[in-house]
Amino acid sequence: MTKKISNEKPHEHLIKDAKKLVQAYPKVPLTVDCVIFGFEENKLKVLVIKSDLEYYQGHYSLLGDIVKDNEELDQAAYRVLKERTGMNDVFLDQVRAFSHPARHPGGRVITVAYCSLLNINHHELKIHDNDLNWHTVSTLKDMAFDHKEIVDECYSWLQKMIQEHPLGFNLLPEKFSLRELQNLYEAILGVSLDRRNFRKKFASMDLLVDINEMEQDVPHRPGKLYKFNFEKYEKNKRKWIGIDF
Amino acid sequence: MTKKISNEKPHEHLIKDAKKLVQAYPKVPLTVDCVIFGFEENKLKVLVIKSDLEYYQGHYSLLGDIVKDNEELDQAAYRVLKERTGMNDVFLDQVRAFSHPARHPGGRVITVAYCSLLNINHHELKIHDNDLNWHTVSTLKDMAFDHKEIVDECYSWLQKMIQEHPLGFNLLPEKFSLRELQNLYEAILGVSLDRRNFRKKFASMDLLVDINEMEQDVPHRPGKLYKFNFEKYEKNKRKWIGIDF
DNA sequence: CAAAGTTGTGTAATTTTTACACAAAAAAGA
DNA sequence: TCTTTTTTGTGTAAAAATTACACAACTTTG
């Protein structure tokens, strides 16, 4: 009944010209910023560049760019990544938007932060720019804009994500030893883990493939090398149901 | 050494005028959209409104608005919430940005999705607009724009979050029975849970306060009422370390 | 006052997590 | 080539968490 009445009501105030509507919207400059993590010498690193703003002279900044007309945010982030590192097919995920009106000294700019993980020693990785460098995350400070806040947020995001998803492998070479894997977890989570339990855990997941190779050129007894079986993981991804807080 | 050289290098190409730089940036219209969840008759609901675009005549749309000049995204989302529901102090969290170039028929509009949880029966809740209504999440379809995709994403987000954080309580009255709490979890997660184990779990958390009241006006034996102890939760929030994927 | 429906509770079995130590392998250096 | 150093690789027992499962007491309804 009620439905009928509302259906019969003439559609007053319906907007016919969507284009005109959108043209009247206020517009803001929009950028993406990439927090590109790497892992080297048992430390989590992030790729930064010297700010090109005089205002932030000497401070580091994240790699970012404006979002182009008709460009998706993900696309823009991939573009930044490709332009700056030469890398394709890198893990990348949106974290969140940062919108403080005064976050940019040049006026309002909203940015969407992306988190990316790559292997610092990947042969295709090309860091062209001299001012680009891998900075240890734990010693970062005085960044340009709100970039420190963005890094902090992405770092927290990463800490949570590597416990729930096999992201960490993106930071390692394709072949890695269990020790390297454990070092990665320990460095990122900032804890030390029991070696036997760590190995048992990964063994029970049955997602590491023993490739029958050993580490080379290590100054100690070499460990076995493994690959991560991404296909198997994708197939068996388990839906976790539980309540825990 | 290298450091010294690069320090001595004159700071060529430093941008002096940040304002001019930003003025040259392309700009895009930006909106927020709120996925406002409620819980009623053991079903998860979402607040929707008939689209005011002729293009989407008859389709439901989320509650959203443009982001104003110098307005933070969070602020804009709170404003939408306040204007549409009359509610303050409601749980609200950013989920992610949606940026498909063709997501709006009027041209490019990027939107940032927020997820909000409120008690449908809260006495301060005022749904002024006749076209506003609470729609069961599971039967939603044919929404305007990419709003169905946004709802789906927020629903997934909610399923994950209620397992890790005590968000669910925002959907219930201040005083609730364990049965109501369990119904909430079952409805949102789409599973059925063992009653004894569910109660044991919450009892072991020791975050529910027995307020020595009983349910009123229920057509069966009334259950005890509880409140959630948010203060205690905030104090004892545990940092979970574990690897599980 | 009987019937229907719901609350509230405990225990045993299973699974998962934690803590912990030693022998074998390889490299480095004498 | 032998000794030292460092790291790999492995199992078990205790503790904790999760799961499965049934019955009596209470309240409402008719």
Side-chain angles (χ1 to χ4, degrees):
Chain A
M1 285 297 151
T2 317
K3 239 182 191 168
K4 225 173 184 180
I5 289 167
S6 96
N7 277 346
E8 281 165 3
K9 199 173 66 179
H11 295 285
E12 349 158 53
H13 309 308
L14 272 193
I15 294 164
K16 296 197 171 165
D17 193 339
K19 286 203 172 133
K20 208 162 126 190
L21 176 79
V22 168
Q23 274 157 16
Y25 283 178
K27 297 178 175 186
V28 296
L30 190 65
T31 60
V32 289
D33 281 296
C34 297
V35 176
I36 303 168
F37 287 115
F39 187 66
E40 199 176 34
E41 293 164 346
N42 290 341
K43 285 187 174 63
L44 186 67
K45 310 266 176 133
V46 61
L47 196 56
V48 293
I49 189 171
K50 291 239 177 71
S51 176
D52 57 358
L53 286 192
E54 193 179 75
Y55 186 91
Y56 284 121
Q57 193 173 118
H59 290 200
Y60 286 116
S61 156
L62 293 170
L63 300 185
D65 198 5
I66 55 170
V67 177
K68 295 185 176 175
D69 285 344
N70 287 323
E71 185 179 42
E72 286 230 44
L73 291 167
D74 287 10
Q75 259 179 54
Y78 272 116
R79 179 171 52 77
V80 168
L81 211 59
K82 175 72 180 174
E83 285 171 5
R84 297 305 201 150
T85 69
M87 299 280 285
N88 278 310
D89 302 319
V90 166
F91 174 87
L92 185 78
D93 208 8
Q94 192 188 117
V95 175
R96 76 167 173 93
F98 290 79
S99 64
H100 194 286
R103 59 174 295 282
H104 193 300
R108 181 177 223 204
V109 179
I110 287 176
T111 197
V112 178
Y114 278 79
C115 185
S116 174
L117 306 179
L118 56 79
N119 170 13
I120 292 189
N121 298 310
H122 194 287
H123 62 281
E124 286 178 14
L125 178 61
K126 288 175 185 73
I127 305 290
H128 321 283
D129 200 315
N130 277 331
D131 286 337
L132 264 181
N133 70 70
W134 291 103
H135 199 295
T136 305
V137 171
S138 58
T139 57
L140 258 185
K141 55 180 177 182
D142 291 332
M143 295 187 77
F145 312 102
D146 52 358
H147 285 187
K148 181 60 164 61
E149 189 192 343
I150 295 177
V151 171
D152 289 345
E153 182 107 355
C154 287
Y155 182 33
S156 297
W157 178 92
L158 176 62
Q159 288 185 315
K160 186 169 157 53
M161 290 294 272
I162 60 161
Q163 296 181 65
E164 300 175 4
H165 304 278
L167 295 189
F169 303 99
N170 292 293
L171 294 164
L172 293 177
E174 196 189 8
K175 304 168 181 184
F176 51 85
S177 68
L178 286 173
R179 159 57 69 185
E180 292 175 289
L181 185 61
Q182 185 173 345
N183 285 341
L184 176 81
Y185 274 86
E186 291 185 335
I188 293 177
L189 298 177
V191 296
S192 70
L193 301 167
D194 179 272
R195 186 156 49 101
R196 274 177 295 186
N197 292 337
F198 182 86
R199 295 161 101 95
K200 216 188 309 175
K201 183 74 197 174
F202 276 93
S204 77
M205 287 181 199
D206 201 28
L207 292 169
L208 297 185
V209 185
D210 179 344
I211 54 172
N212 290 310
E213 289 181 47
M214 305 298 275
E215 288 181 292
Q216 304 286 330
D217 307 312
V218 283
H220 54 74
R221 175 179 172 184
K224 284 185 167 190
L225 294 176
Y226 296 83
K227 286 186 185 180
F228 184 78
N229 190 340
F230 284 98
E231 296 78 28
K232 186 163 179 187
Y233 168 72
E234 287 298 333
K235 264 186 201 147
N236 305 339
K237 249 184 209 172
R238 69 194 186 90
K239 280 230 171 69
W240 174 72
I241 299 274
I243 296 161
D244 249 323
F245 48 80
Chain B
M1 284 298 152
T2 318
K3 240 181 190 168
K4 224 173 184 177
I5 289 167
S6 94
N7 278 346
E8 281 164 4
K9 199 172 66 180
H11 295 285
E12 349 157 53
H13 308 310
L14 272 193
I15 294 163
K16 296 198 171 166
D17 193 339
K19 285 201 174 136
K20 207 162 127 191
L21 176 78
V22 169
Q23 275 158 15
Y25 283 178
K27 297 177 175 187
V28 296
L30 190 65
T31 60
V32 290
D33 281 296
C34 297
V35 177
I36 303 168
F37 286 116
F39 187 66
E40 199 177 34
E41 293 165 344
N42 290 341
K43 285 187 174 65
L44 186 67
K45 310 265 176 136
V46 62
L47 196 55
V48 293
I49 190 172
K50 290 239 178 74
S51 176
D52 58 357
L53 286 192
E54 192 179 76
Y55 186 91
Y56 284 121
Q57 193 174 120
H59 290 201
Y60 286 116
S61 156
L62 293 170
L63 300 185
D65 198 7
I66 55 170
V67 177
K68 294 185 176 175
D69 285 344
N70 288 323
E71 186 179 42
E72 287 230 44
L73 292 168
D74 287 9
Q75 260 179 55
Y78 272 116
R79 178 170 54 75
V80 167
L81 211 58
K82 175 71 181 174
E83 285 172 4
R84 297 305 200 150
T85 68
M87 299 279 286
N88 280 310
D89 302 320
V90 167
F91 175 86
L92 186 77
D93 207 8
Q94 191 188 119
V95 175
R96 76 167 173 93
F98 291 78
S99 64
H100 193 286
R103 58 174 296 283
H104 193 300
R108 182 180 221 202
V109 180
I110 286 175
T111 197
V112 179
Y114 277 79
C115 186
S116 175
L117 306 179
L118 56 79
N119 170 13
I120 291 189
N121 299 309
H122 194 288
H123 63 280
E124 287 178 15
L125 178 62
K126 288 177 185 73
I127 305 291
H128 320 281
D129 199 316
N130 277 331
D131 285 339
L132 264 181
N133 69 70
W134 290 104
H135 199 295
T136 305
V137 171
S138 58
T139 58
L140 258 185
K141 55 180 179 182
D142 291 333
M143 295 188 77
F145 312 102
D146 52 0
H147 286 188
K148 181 60 164 61
E149 189 192 344
I150 295 177
V151 170
D152 289 345
E153 182 107 354
C154 288
Y155 181 34
S156 297
W157 178 93
L158 176 63
Q159 288 185 314
K160 185 168 157 53
M161 290 295 271
I162 61 161
Q163 297 182 64
E164 301 175 3
H165 304 278
L167 295 190
F169 303 99
N170 292 294
L171 293 164
L172 293 176
E174 195 190 8
K175 305 168 180 184
F176 52 85
S177 68
L178 287 173
R179 161 56 70 183
E180 290 175 290
L181 186 60
Q182 186 174 344
N183 284 342
L184 177 80
Y185 273 86
E186 292 185 335
I188 294 178
L189 298 177
V191 296
S192 69
L193 301 167
D194 179 272
R195 188 156 48 101
R196 276 176 293 188
N197 293 338
F198 182 85
R199 296 161 101 95
K200 215 187 312 174
K201 183 74 197 174
F202 275 93
S204 77
M205 288 180 198
D206 201 29
L207 291 169
L208 297 185
V209 185
D210 179 344
I211 55 173
N212 289 309
E213 289 181 48
M214 305 298 275
E215 287 181 292
Q216 304 285 332
D217 306 313
V218 282
H220 54 72
R221 174 178 172 186
K224 284 186 167 188
L225 293 176
Y226 296 84
K227 286 186 185 179
F228 183 78
N229 190 339
F230 284 98
E231 297 78 27
K232 186 164 179 187
Y233 168 72
E234 286 298 333
K235 264 185 201 148
N236 305 338
K237 249 184 207 172
R238 69 196 187 90
K239 281 230 172 69
W240 174 71
I241 299 274
I243 297 161
D244 248 323
F245 49 80

